[in-house]
Amino acid sequence: MRKIVRYEFDPANPPPLTEAQKAEIAALKARPEDDVDTSDIPELTEGFWQNAVRNPYFKPVKQQLTLRLDSDLVAWFKRRAPDGRGYQGAINRALREYVSKQDRKAG
């Protein structure tokens, strides 16, 4: 019977690099770009990004704040939310869509 070995890894607090790992990174960093063979990697075109979408599992950190909005605007979002719930998320999505469109225009 084999014993199960479990490891815990905290990405926010990784263990320090060993001297061998540091040396390997330094050697890779010192190599000229021309030494890297990228022949098996296709070039990305603008068409590649045409249908790109944000990772659906990405959850940015929320920041609580006080924001004054026109009452008719808040009422509009609340009317469209089931039971008046989720209107803040709807406002957040509308703002994110607006920012995304502005970024594409500036592009």
Side-chain angles (χ1 to χ4, degrees):
M1 182 170 168
R2 298 173 101 186
K3 183 178 178 183
I4 296 175
V5 178
R6 296 183 190 269
Y7 295 97
E8 288 192 25
F9 178 76
D10 179 6
N13 189 21
L17 295 175
T18 65
E19 290 304 317
Q21 290 169 325
K22 290 178 185 178
E24 184 178 2
I25 290 171
L28 289 170
K29 197 174 183 180
R31 285 178 67 180
E33 288 287 320
D34 295 341
D35 283 358
V36 180
D37 178 16
T38 59
S39 62
D40 61 339
I41 304 171
E43 291 291 325
L44 295 182
T45 64
E46 286 299 316
F48 175 85
W49 300 106
Q50 198 86 24
N51 297 318
V53 294
R54 179 181 288 276
N55 180 342
Y57 301 106
F58 172 72
K59 299 282 187 210
V61 176
K62 302 278 186 189
Q63 179 179 353
Q64 184 173 351
L65 60 97
T66 301
L67 179 67
R68 294 184 182 274
L69 301 173
D70 295 339
S71 59
D72 60 327
L73 185 62
V74 175
W76 185 90
F77 277 97
K78 282 186 175 181
R79 278 196 309 272
R80 278 147 186 80
D83 300 328
R85 299 174 65 186
Y87 73 96
Q88 291 176 341
I91 293 170
N92 191 71
R93 285 187 297 278
L95 286 170
R96 182 165 301 285
E97 184 178 333
Y98 173 81
V99 167
S100 178
K101 285 181 181 177
Q102 294 304 309
D103 282 347
R104 282 193 296 262
K105 280 183 187 177

